[in-house]
């Protein structure tokens, strides 16, 4: 039995040891919300009494920023790399212990964590992220660090999914495995011809294992072989079990039954706090929100070259430019927004066609539309501080953090009623407004017309100062800290440990 499950002498509980495995972590490497979660959840678990460490690939930004690195073990040649070592250091700022895999041949290169400078997937991603999972499994088996081994290995998204298969393929491993789906749309699919690189029994290459429509699926590895599966909101947990949102894996998810849980993400409320934010034009809280937002709005308008005397709402949009995020709906609804005297500021990059469309909108509506096609964390804070409304019109949204950041800064979110958006925003209806519960505006259909309707409702509330102020204060009073989710994860970890002890998973049959 695991020491964490068995407990210790009275008054001397044994901390639950948890290893988080991920490809990115803020502020070292970030392409989306995954990095924020991996940065914030471990400190929250530590504050709740757990003993937590991270494992990440040794990408240049990781290896250069991790503090006090020391070599734990040389692993020799692995997955096509001639030299692989396991290093241990600490995260800057939080001090969370972090292992990183030093494998120059696989990780030390330019471009992004998954793609080269031209936006093409790295041709050896199977080896790069199989190595991440392989090291996680061997750490979990107690093989690599004589001073520490986890009770629970928590893998995040497809990049770490193979860790669950490697643990399942070695039944003596006592550590339980938990797998979190941050976005089911990205599945880590590879040719079946590359399966031998993984070093697993051929029985894993079956429909009961990693095979997915003639390919190898790292996402399926996590879904099939983790002791427990989580998603980043209860709404998304329900959605991915449906044909519409399951991306072909809905049957696998339904097959896991009650093993699948939805735990809403938190945010770092010390980092996203308008009262202490050093980068905004004027700090404010719920009592001073009117003056503070007005100063930040003027500063944001000036930064984007917009008219500071516009009568309507300033709408902020901070997003990766992808079809998932519903940016085409914003373009369709833009004329209606401008007709109501509104403005739009966009920060983000991605799909070249969407980038071009927003550039054209900026040129056509100078002084009313501002666009910066960059990812800039500091600018994101300024957008939240200065915007009246923040648009999140996603076609699907596992959790979403933007709508939480927006509410913290008194920017009312306009969101589609999907996934975590529906879990974290209270739509402004006559009933919720009367009860002082409303924190934003929702729409249902994935259409520009439906988004227009939500924007019109928001504009109608904007001209009612008392109601607008009431909604701002209610939104700012929402708590999105990691304290509650951390406790839910700790309970789930204990459940996974018990399940692992009772019925260890093994190699699939057939």
């Amino acid at each position: 039995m695991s020491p964490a499950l068995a407990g210790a002498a009275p008054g001397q509980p044994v901390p639950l040891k948890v290893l988080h495995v991920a490809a990115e972590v803020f502020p070292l490497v970030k392409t989306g919300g995954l990095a924020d979660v991996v940065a914030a959840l471990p400190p929250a678990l530590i504050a709740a009494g757990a003993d937590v460490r991270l494992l990440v690939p040794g990408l240049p930004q990781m290896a250069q920023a991790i503090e006090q690195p020391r070599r734990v073990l040389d692993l020799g040649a692995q997955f096509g790399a001639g030299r692989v070592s396991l290093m241990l250091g600490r995260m800057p700022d939080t001090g969370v212990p972090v292992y990183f895999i030093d494998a120059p041949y696989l990780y030390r290169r330019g471009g992004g964590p998954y793609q080269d400078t031209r936006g093409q997937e790295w041709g050896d991603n199977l080896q790069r992220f199989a190595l991440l999972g392989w090291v996680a499994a061997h750490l979990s088996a107690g093989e690599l660090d004589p001073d520490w081994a986890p009770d629970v290995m928590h893998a995040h998204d497809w990049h770490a999914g193979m860790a669950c298969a490697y643990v399942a393929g070695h039944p003596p491993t006592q550590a339980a495995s938990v797998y979190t789906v941050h976005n089911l749309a990205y599945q880590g699919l590879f040719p079946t011809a590359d399966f031998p690189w993984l070093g697993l029994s051929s029985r894993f290459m079956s429909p009961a294992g990693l095979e997915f429509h003639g390919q190898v699926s790292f996402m399926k590895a996590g879904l099939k072989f983790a002791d427990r599966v989580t998603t980043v909101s209860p709404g998304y947990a329900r959605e991915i079990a449906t044909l519409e949102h399951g991306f072909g894996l809905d049957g696998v998810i339904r097959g896991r039954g009650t093993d699948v849980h939805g735990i809403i993400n938190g945010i770092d409320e010390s980092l996203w706090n308008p009262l202490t934010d050093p980068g905004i034009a004027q700090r404010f809280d719920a009592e001073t929100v009117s003056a503070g937002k007005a100063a930040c709005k003027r500063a944001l308008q000036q930064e984007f070259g917009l008219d500071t005397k516009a009568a309507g709402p300033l709408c902020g949009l901070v997003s990766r430019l992808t079809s998932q995020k519903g940016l085409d709906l914003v373009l369709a609804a833009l004329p209606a927004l401008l007709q109501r005297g509104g403005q739009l500021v966009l920060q983000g990059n991605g799909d070249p066609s969407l980038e071009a469309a927003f550039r054209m909108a900026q040129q056509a509506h100078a002084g009313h539309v501002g666009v910066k096609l960059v990812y800039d964390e500091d600018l994101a804070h300024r957008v939240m501080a200065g915007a009246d409304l923040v648009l999140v019109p996603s076609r699907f949204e596992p959790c979403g953090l933007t709508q939480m950041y927006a509410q913290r800064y008194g920017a009312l979110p306009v969101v589609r009623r999907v996934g975590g958006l529906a879990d974290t925003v209270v739509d402004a209806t006559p009933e919720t407004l009367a009860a002082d519960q409303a924190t934003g505006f929702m729409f249902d259909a994935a259409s520009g017309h439906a988004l227009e309707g939500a924007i019109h409702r928001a504009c109608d509330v904007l001209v009612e100062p008392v109601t607008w102020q009431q909604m701002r204060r209610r939104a700012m009073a929402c708590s999105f800290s990691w304290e509650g989710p951390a406790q839910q994860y700790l309970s789930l970890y204990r459940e996974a440990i018990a399940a692992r002890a009772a019925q260890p998973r093994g190699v699939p049959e057939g």
Side-chain angles (χ1 to χ4, degrees), residues 5-36:
L5 189 65
Q12 299 292 325
V14 175
L16 190 68
K17 292 184 287 185
V18 184
L19 176 69
H20 283 268
V21 188
E24 51 188 88
V25 56
F26 179 81
L28 308 187
V29 173
K30 176 176 175 176
T31 67
L34 166 64
D36 293 324

PDB file of all heavy atoms in Angstrom, residues 5-36:
ATOM      1  N   LEU A   5      -1.510   6.556   1.195  1.00  0.00           N
ATOM      2  CA  LEU A   5      -2.809   5.972   1.479  1.00  0.00           C
ATOM      3  C   LEU A   5      -2.844   5.404   2.885  1.00  0.00           C
ATOM      4  O   LEU A   5      -3.835   5.500   3.597  1.00  0.00           O
ATOM      5  CB  LEU A   5      -3.123   4.876   0.453  1.00  0.00           C
ATOM      6  CG  LEU A   5      -4.536   4.308   0.476  1.00  0.00           C
ATOM      7  CD1 LEU A   5      -5.528   5.400   0.091  1.00  0.00           C
ATOM      8  CD2 LEU A   5      -4.658   3.122  -0.451  1.00  0.00           C
ATOM      9  N   ALA A   6      -1.732   4.842   3.288  1.00  0.00           N
ATOM     10  CA  ALA A   6      -1.694   4.200   4.595  1.00  0.00           C
ATOM     11  C   ALA A   6      -1.670   5.216   5.722  1.00  0.00           C
ATOM     12  O   ALA A   6      -2.128   4.960   6.823  1.00  0.00           O
ATOM     13  CB  ALA A   6      -0.452   3.298   4.689  1.00  0.00           C
ATOM     14  N   GLY A   7      -1.120   6.429   5.448  1.00  0.00           N
ATOM     15  CA  GLY A   7      -0.998   7.417   6.499  1.00  0.00           C
ATOM     16  C   GLY A   7       0.260   7.180   7.301  1.00  0.00           C
ATOM     17  O   GLY A   7       1.159   6.441   6.923  1.00  0.00           O
ATOM     18  N   ALA A   8       0.374   7.829   8.462  1.00  0.00           N
ATOM     19  CA  ALA A   8       1.562   7.728   9.299  1.00  0.00           C
ATOM     20  C   ALA A   8       1.115   7.740  10.746  1.00  0.00           C
ATOM     21  O   ALA A   8      -0.068   7.602  11.058  1.00  0.00           O
ATOM     22  CB  ALA A   8       2.512   8.882   8.987  1.00  0.00           C
ATOM     23  N   ALA A   9       2.076   7.929  11.618  1.00  0.00           N
ATOM     24  CA  ALA A   9       1.760   7.983  13.036  1.00  0.00           C
ATOM     25  C   ALA A   9       0.818   9.153  13.303  1.00  0.00           C
ATOM     26  O   ALA A   9       0.837  10.157  12.588  1.00  0.00           O
ATOM     27  CB  ALA A   9       3.044   8.146  13.840  1.00  0.00           C
ATOM     28  N   PRO A  10      -0.056   9.034  14.334  1.00  0.00           N
ATOM     29  CA  PRO A  10      -0.978  10.126  14.650  1.00  0.00           C
ATOM     30  C   PRO A  10      -0.242  11.452  14.799  1.00  0.00           C
ATOM     31  O   PRO A  10       0.783  11.535  15.482  1.00  0.00           O
ATOM     32  CB  PRO A  10      -1.600   9.671  15.983  1.00  0.00           C
ATOM     33  CG  PRO A  10      -1.502   8.179  15.957  1.00  0.00           C
ATOM     34  CD  PRO A  10      -0.223   7.882  15.238  1.00  0.00           C
ATOM     35  N   GLY A  11      -0.779  12.466  14.140  1.00  0.00           N
ATOM     36  CA  GLY A  11      -0.152  13.780  14.203  1.00  0.00           C
ATOM     37  C   GLY A  11       0.998  13.961  13.239  1.00  0.00           C
ATOM     38  O   GLY A  11       1.550  15.045  13.128  1.00  0.00           O
ATOM     39  N   GLN A  12       1.373  12.905  12.525  1.00  0.00           N
ATOM     40  CA  GLN A  12       2.491  12.974  11.586  1.00  0.00           C
ATOM     41  C   GLN A  12       2.063  12.432  10.219  1.00  0.00           C
ATOM     42  O   GLN A  12       2.523  11.388   9.782  1.00  0.00           O
ATOM     43  CB  GLN A  12       3.692  12.166  12.121  1.00  0.00           C
ATOM     44  CG  GLN A  12       4.255  12.652  13.440  1.00  0.00           C
ATOM     45  CD  GLN A  12       4.911  14.006  13.303  1.00  0.00           C
ATOM     46  OE1 GLN A  12       5.511  14.306  12.283  1.00  0.00           O
ATOM     47  NE2 GLN A  12       4.802  14.834  14.333  1.00  0.00           N
ATOM     48  N   PRO A  13       1.134  13.127   9.541  1.00  0.00           N
ATOM     49  CA  PRO A  13       0.694  12.615   8.234  1.00  0.00           C
ATOM     50  C   PRO A  13       1.823  12.663   7.216  1.00  0.00           C
ATOM     51  O   PRO A  13       2.656  13.562   7.218  1.00  0.00           O
ATOM     52  CB  PRO A  13      -0.429  13.586   7.849  1.00  0.00           C
ATOM     53  CG  PRO A  13      -0.114  14.845   8.610  1.00  0.00           C
ATOM     54  CD  PRO A  13       0.503  14.393   9.897  1.00  0.00           C
ATOM     55  N   VAL A  14       1.840  11.674   6.354  1.00  0.00           N
ATOM     56  CA  VAL A  14       2.827  11.627   5.285  1.00  0.00           C
ATOM     57  C   VAL A  14       2.311  12.464   4.123  1.00  0.00           C
ATOM     58  O   VAL A  14       1.206  12.223   3.625  1.00  0.00           O
ATOM     59  CB  VAL A  14       3.070  10.175   4.822  1.00  0.00           C
ATOM     60  CG1 VAL A  14       4.007  10.145   3.617  1.00  0.00           C
ATOM     61  CG2 VAL A  14       3.626   9.349   5.964  1.00  0.00           C
ATOM     62  N   PRO A  15       3.059  13.454   3.665  1.00  0.00           N
ATOM     63  CA  PRO A  15       2.573  14.262   2.540  1.00  0.00           C
ATOM     64  C   PRO A  15       2.388  13.399   1.301  1.00  0.00           C
ATOM     65  O   PRO A  15       3.209  12.519   1.005  1.00  0.00           O
ATOM     66  CB  PRO A  15       3.698  15.291   2.335  1.00  0.00           C
ATOM     67  CG  PRO A  15       4.467  15.310   3.615  1.00  0.00           C
ATOM     68  CD  PRO A  15       4.369  13.923   4.164  1.00  0.00           C
ATOM     69  N   LEU A  16       1.340  13.639   0.600  1.00  0.00           N
ATOM     70  CA  LEU A  16       1.099  12.968  -0.664  1.00  0.00           C
ATOM     71  C   LEU A  16       2.109  13.485  -1.684  1.00  0.00           C
ATOM     72  O   LEU A  16       2.230  14.690  -1.889  1.00  0.00           O
ATOM     73  CB  LEU A  16      -0.329  13.267  -1.129  1.00  0.00           C
ATOM     74  CG  LEU A  16      -0.876  12.477  -2.302  1.00  0.00           C
ATOM     75  CD1 LEU A  16      -1.067  11.018  -1.901  1.00  0.00           C
ATOM     76  CD2 LEU A  16      -2.216  13.061  -2.745  1.00  0.00           C
ATOM     77  N   LYS A  17       2.831  12.583  -2.324  1.00  0.00           N
ATOM     78  CA  LYS A  17       3.860  12.973  -3.293  1.00  0.00           C
ATOM     79  C   LYS A  17       3.289  12.889  -4.702  1.00  0.00           C
ATOM     80  O   LYS A  17       2.811  11.834  -5.119  1.00  0.00           O
ATOM     81  CB  LYS A  17       5.092  12.073  -3.141  1.00  0.00           C
ATOM     82  CG  LYS A  17       5.829  12.289  -1.820  1.00  0.00           C
ATOM     83  CD  LYS A  17       7.095  11.478  -1.725  1.00  0.00           C
ATOM     84  CE  LYS A  17       6.783  10.012  -1.516  1.00  0.00           C
ATOM     85  NZ  LYS A  17       8.016   9.209  -1.311  1.00  0.00           N
ATOM     86  N   VAL A  18       3.363  14.011  -5.407  1.00  0.00           N
ATOM     87  CA  VAL A  18       2.722  14.128  -6.720  1.00  0.00           C
ATOM     88  C   VAL A  18       3.727  14.646  -7.739  1.00  0.00           C
ATOM     89  O   VAL A  18       4.407  15.649  -7.505  1.00  0.00           O
ATOM     90  CB  VAL A  18       1.508  15.082  -6.666  1.00  0.00           C
ATOM     91  CG1 VAL A  18       0.805  15.118  -8.022  1.00  0.00           C
ATOM     92  CG2 VAL A  18       0.539  14.684  -5.562  1.00  0.00           C
ATOM     93  N   LEU A  19       3.805  13.960  -8.883  1.00  0.00           N
ATOM     94  CA  LEU A  19       4.643  14.395  -9.995  1.00  0.00           C
ATOM     95  C   LEU A  19       3.744  14.892 -11.117  1.00  0.00           C
ATOM     96  O   LEU A  19       2.923  14.137 -11.654  1.00  0.00           O
ATOM     97  CB  LEU A  19       5.500  13.234 -10.510  1.00  0.00           C
ATOM     98  CG  LEU A  19       6.366  13.543 -11.742  1.00  0.00           C
ATOM     99  CD1 LEU A  19       7.486  14.515 -11.386  1.00  0.00           C
ATOM    100  CD2 LEU A  19       6.929  12.254 -12.347  1.00  0.00           C
ATOM    101  N   HIS A  20       3.877  16.176 -11.490  1.00  0.00           N
ATOM    102  CA  HIS A  20       3.157  16.726 -12.631  1.00  0.00           C
ATOM    103  C   HIS A  20       4.053  16.670 -13.859  1.00  0.00           C
ATOM    104  O   HIS A  20       5.214  17.105 -13.809  1.00  0.00           O
ATOM    105  CB  HIS A  20       2.742  18.174 -12.359  1.00  0.00           C
ATOM    106  CG  HIS A  20       1.562  18.284 -11.451  1.00  0.00           C
ATOM    107  ND1 HIS A  20       0.274  18.353 -11.917  1.00  0.00           N
ATOM    108  CD2 HIS A  20       1.472  18.304 -10.098  1.00  0.00           C
ATOM    109  CE1 HIS A  20      -0.563  18.424 -10.896  1.00  0.00           C
ATOM    110  NE2 HIS A  20       0.141  18.395  -9.780  1.00  0.00           N
ATOM    111  N   VAL A  21       3.514  16.169 -14.957  1.00  0.00           N
ATOM    112  CA  VAL A  21       4.280  15.970 -16.192  1.00  0.00           C
ATOM    113  C   VAL A  21       3.621  16.789 -17.297  1.00  0.00           C
ATOM    114  O   VAL A  21       2.437  16.602 -17.598  1.00  0.00           O
ATOM    115  CB  VAL A  21       4.303  14.484 -16.602  1.00  0.00           C
ATOM    116  CG1 VAL A  21       5.256  14.269 -17.764  1.00  0.00           C
ATOM    117  CG2 VAL A  21       4.675  13.610 -15.409  1.00  0.00           C
ATOM    118  N   ALA A  22       4.383  17.709 -17.893  1.00  0.00           N
ATOM    119  CA  ALA A  22       3.799  18.588 -18.899  1.00  0.00           C
ATOM    120  C   ALA A  22       4.876  19.113 -19.826  1.00  0.00           C
ATOM    121  O   ALA A  22       6.064  19.125 -19.488  1.00  0.00           O
ATOM    122  CB  ALA A  22       3.067  19.754 -18.237  1.00  0.00           C
ATOM    123  N   ALA A  23       4.448  19.586 -20.996  1.00  0.00           N
ATOM    124  CA  ALA A  23       5.380  20.102 -21.998  1.00  0.00           C
ATOM    125  C   ALA A  23       5.640  21.587 -21.839  1.00  0.00           C
ATOM    126  O   ALA A  23       6.579  22.116 -22.443  1.00  0.00           O
ATOM    127  CB  ALA A  23       4.846  19.824 -23.401  1.00  0.00           C
ATOM    128  N   GLU A  24       4.804  22.284 -21.054  1.00  0.00           N
ATOM    129  CA  GLU A  24       5.012  23.722 -20.904  1.00  0.00           C
ATOM    130  C   GLU A  24       4.587  24.164 -19.509  1.00  0.00           C
ATOM    131  O   GLU A  24       3.761  23.526 -18.859  1.00  0.00           O
ATOM    132  CB  GLU A  24       4.255  24.502 -21.975  1.00  0.00           C
ATOM    133  CG  GLU A  24       2.795  24.155 -22.133  1.00  0.00           C
ATOM    134  CD  GLU A  24       2.168  24.847 -23.342  1.00  0.00           C
ATOM    135  OE1 GLU A  24       2.232  24.286 -24.456  1.00  0.00           O
ATOM    136  OE2 GLU A  24       1.622  25.952 -23.165  1.00  0.00           O
ATOM    137  N   VAL A  25       5.174  25.262 -19.063  1.00  0.00           N
ATOM    138  CA  VAL A  25       4.853  25.833 -17.764  1.00  0.00           C
ATOM    139  C   VAL A  25       5.201  27.317 -17.802  1.00  0.00           C
ATOM    140  O   VAL A  25       6.278  27.709 -18.234  1.00  0.00           O
ATOM    141  CB  VAL A  25       5.595  25.097 -16.618  1.00  0.00           C
ATOM    142  CG1 VAL A  25       7.100  25.079 -16.838  1.00  0.00           C
ATOM    143  CG2 VAL A  25       5.273  25.722 -15.265  1.00  0.00           C
ATOM    144  N   PHE A  26       4.258  28.139 -17.380  1.00  0.00           N
ATOM    145  CA  PHE A  26       4.487  29.582 -17.317  1.00  0.00           C
ATOM    146  C   PHE A  26       5.423  29.890 -16.153  1.00  0.00           C
ATOM    147  O   PHE A  26       5.306  29.281 -15.093  1.00  0.00           O
ATOM    148  CB  PHE A  26       3.151  30.300 -17.122  1.00  0.00           C
ATOM    149  CG  PHE A  26       3.269  31.799 -17.015  1.00  0.00           C
ATOM    150  CD1 PHE A  26       3.382  32.573 -18.152  1.00  0.00           C
ATOM    151  CD2 PHE A  26       3.289  32.417 -15.773  1.00  0.00           C
ATOM    152  CE1 PHE A  26       3.509  33.953 -18.056  1.00  0.00           C
ATOM    153  CE2 PHE A  26       3.418  33.791 -15.672  1.00  0.00           C
ATOM    154  CZ  PHE A  26       3.525  34.558 -16.817  1.00  0.00           C
ATOM    155  N   PRO A  27       6.382  30.811 -16.282  1.00  0.00           N
ATOM    156  CA  PRO A  27       6.625  31.701 -17.417  1.00  0.00           C
ATOM    157  C   PRO A  27       7.700  31.192 -18.389  1.00  0.00           C
ATOM    158  O   PRO A  27       8.160  31.959 -19.233  1.00  0.00           O
ATOM    159  CB  PRO A  27       7.109  32.972 -16.729  1.00  0.00           C
ATOM    160  CG  PRO A  27       7.899  32.464 -15.560  1.00  0.00           C
ATOM    161  CD  PRO A  27       7.195  31.209 -15.103  1.00  0.00           C
ATOM    162  N   LEU A  28       8.074  29.921 -18.287  1.00  0.00           N
ATOM    163  CA  LEU A  28       9.201  29.435 -19.085  1.00  0.00           C
ATOM    164  C   LEU A  28       8.797  29.168 -20.532  1.00  0.00           C
ATOM    165  O   LEU A  28       9.463  29.620 -21.464  1.00  0.00           O
ATOM    166  CB  LEU A  28       9.786  28.169 -18.447  1.00  0.00           C
ATOM    167  CG  LEU A  28      10.136  28.267 -16.954  1.00  0.00           C
ATOM    168  CD1 LEU A  28      10.862  27.011 -16.510  1.00  0.00           C
ATOM    169  CD2 LEU A  28      10.932  29.509 -16.654  1.00  0.00           C
ATOM    170  N   VAL A  29       7.743  28.394 -20.736  1.00  0.00           N
ATOM    171  CA  VAL A  29       7.225  28.095 -22.072  1.00  0.00           C
ATOM    172  C   VAL A  29       5.714  28.121 -21.989  1.00  0.00           C
ATOM    173  O   VAL A  29       5.131  27.454 -21.129  1.00  0.00           O
ATOM    174  CB  VAL A  29       7.696  26.716 -22.576  1.00  0.00           C
ATOM    175  CG1 VAL A  29       7.019  26.356 -23.887  1.00  0.00           C
ATOM    176  CG2 VAL A  29       9.209  26.690 -22.749  1.00  0.00           C
ATOM    177  N   LYS A  30       5.081  28.896 -22.865  1.00  0.00           N
ATOM    178  CA  LYS A  30       3.620  28.977 -22.857  1.00  0.00           C
ATOM    179  C   LYS A  30       3.096  29.139 -24.269  1.00  0.00           C
ATOM    180  O   LYS A  30       3.531  30.025 -24.995  1.00  0.00           O
ATOM    181  CB  LYS A  30       3.149  30.160 -22.000  1.00  0.00           C
ATOM    182  CG  LYS A  30       1.634  30.356 -22.027  1.00  0.00           C
ATOM    183  CD  LYS A  30       1.175  31.465 -21.114  1.00  0.00           C
ATOM    184  CE  LYS A  30      -0.334  31.709 -21.273  1.00  0.00           C
ATOM    185  NZ  LYS A  30      -0.848  32.717 -20.328  1.00  0.00           N
ATOM    186  N   THR A  31       2.149  28.249 -24.637  1.00  0.00           N
ATOM    187  CA  THR A  31       1.408  28.433 -25.878  1.00  0.00           C
ATOM    188  C   THR A  31      -0.081  28.593 -25.605  1.00  0.00           C
ATOM    189  O   THR A  31      -0.843  28.913 -26.511  1.00  0.00           O
ATOM    190  CB  THR A  31       1.610  27.249 -26.841  1.00  0.00           C
ATOM    191  OG1 THR A  31       1.009  26.076 -26.286  1.00  0.00           O
ATOM    192  CG2 THR A  31       3.083  26.997 -27.104  1.00  0.00           C
ATOM    193  N   GLY A  32      -0.514  28.345 -24.365  1.00  0.00           N
ATOM    194  CA  GLY A  32      -1.926  28.450 -24.017  1.00  0.00           C
ATOM    195  C   GLY A  32      -2.126  28.272 -22.527  1.00  0.00           C
ATOM    196  O   GLY A  32      -1.183  28.343 -21.731  1.00  0.00           O
ATOM    197  N   GLY A  33      -3.387  28.019 -22.150  1.00  0.00           N
ATOM    198  CA  GLY A  33      -3.742  27.929 -20.737  1.00  0.00           C
ATOM    199  C   GLY A  33      -3.091  26.779 -20.000  1.00  0.00           C
ATOM    200  O   GLY A  33      -2.970  26.816 -18.765  1.00  0.00           O
ATOM    201  N   LEU A  34      -2.674  25.730 -20.709  1.00  0.00           N
ATOM    202  CA  LEU A  34      -1.986  24.603 -20.065  1.00  0.00           C
ATOM    203  C   LEU A  34      -0.823  25.089 -19.211  1.00  0.00           C
ATOM    204  O   LEU A  34      -0.640  24.637 -18.068  1.00  0.00           O
ATOM    205  CB  LEU A  34      -1.487  23.625 -21.136  1.00  0.00           C
ATOM    206  CG  LEU A  34      -0.484  22.564 -20.704  1.00  0.00           C
ATOM    207  CD1 LEU A  34      -1.097  21.616 -19.681  1.00  0.00           C
ATOM    208  CD2 LEU A  34       0.042  21.786 -21.908  1.00  0.00           C
ATOM    209  N   ALA A  35      -0.022  26.003 -19.741  1.00  0.00           N
ATOM    210  CA  ALA A  35       1.157  26.487 -19.021  1.00  0.00           C
ATOM    211  C   ALA A  35       0.775  27.181 -17.724  1.00  0.00           C
ATOM    212  O   ALA A  35       1.468  27.056 -16.701  1.00  0.00           O
ATOM    213  CB  ALA A  35       1.968  27.430 -19.911  1.00  0.00           C
ATOM    214  N   ASP A  36      -0.339  27.930 -17.735  1.00  0.00           N
ATOM    215  CA  ASP A  36      -0.795  28.616 -16.528  1.00  0.00           C
ATOM    216  C   ASP A  36      -1.223  27.614 -15.466  1.00  0.00           C
ATOM    217  O   ASP A  36      -0.943  27.794 -14.278  1.00  0.00           O
ATOM    218  CB  ASP A  36      -1.966  29.544 -16.867  1.00  0.00           C
ATOM    219  CG  ASP A  36      -1.555  30.708 -17.753  1.00  0.00           C
ATOM    220  OD1 ASP A  36      -0.443  31.217 -17.584  1.00  0.00           O
ATOM    221  OD2 ASP A  36      -2.349  31.097 -18.627  1.00  0.00           O
TER     222      ASP A  36
END
